[in-house]
Amino acid sequence: MLATALQEARIGLAEGGIPIGAALFTREGELLGSGHNRRVQEDDASVHAETDAFRNAGRRRNYGDTVMVTTLSPCWYCSGLVRQFNIGAVVIGEATNFHGGHDWLEDLGVEVLVLDDAACTELLATFILDRPELWHEDIGL
């Protein structure tokens, strides 16, 4: 599942955007939708990877049986999306470059798994070194 999110992150980078990807799956592993951060590409600060994946998944009556897989710890905005729609689990590629709201989600009963994936960590770390002004704009620092 992380491979799907990582591929989305790489697509975002190739498009000139921020390399963060996400995908929404059922617990059985069925891909519902994937996406990547498109803030730069669409000139829209609200199109984070998780929101893009969520939108691409389409409408469901219940999200408790879904898993949001993301290359990076979700920011507060994306953590709010997980909470708002009661997404049951979050799998995170890495939380080294940014530690978002996943502790809060875990405290609320969401299953959280941080993988500490080297490929996810390196992809974003390289981007931050190459484009610090864009990273800081996006993350709100």
Side-chain angles (χ1 to χ4, degrees), residues 8-136:
E8 285 284 348
R10 290 180 175 135
I11 291 168
L13 181 62
E15 293 174 350
I18 296 154
I20 302 170
L24 188 67
F25 290 90
T26 65
R27 287 193 184 265
E28 292 76 32
E30 176 190 353
L31 177 63
L32 300 171
S34 63
H36 51 275
N37 186 299
R38 295 177 188 268
R39 184 183 63 81
V40 173
Q41 297 92 315
E42 296 190 14
D43 196 29
D44 181 347
S46 71
V47 188
H48 287 204
E50 296 87 346
T51 59
D52 195 38
F54 185 78
R55 289 171 181 163
N56 289 332
R59 183 171 170 257
R60 294 176 61 92
R61 295 179 63 80
N62 186 318
Y63 294 89
D65 67 339
T66 63
V67 179
M68 179 64 77
V69 180
T70 179
T71 58
L72 183 65
S73 176
C75 68
W76 287 105
Y77 170 61
C78 295
S79 294
L81 178 134
V82 170
R83 176 68 176 143
Q84 175 69 31
F85 292 96
N86 295 311
I87 293 172
V90 179
V91 174
I92 299 165
E94 66 107 347
T96 302
N97 287 300
F98 177 75
H99 190 108
H102 69 265
D103 293 332
W104 174 68
L105 291 171
E106 195 167 36
D107 289 345
L108 292 169
V110 177
E111 294 176 50
V112 174
L113 176 62
V114 180
L115 299 176
D116 293 321
D117 182 80
C120 291
T121 304
E122 182 180 339
L123 180 65
L124 190 58
T126 300
F127 175 81
I128 292 169
L129 285 174
D130 291 346
R131 302 288 311 272
E133 74 292 343
L134 186 54
W135 169 250
H136 291 299

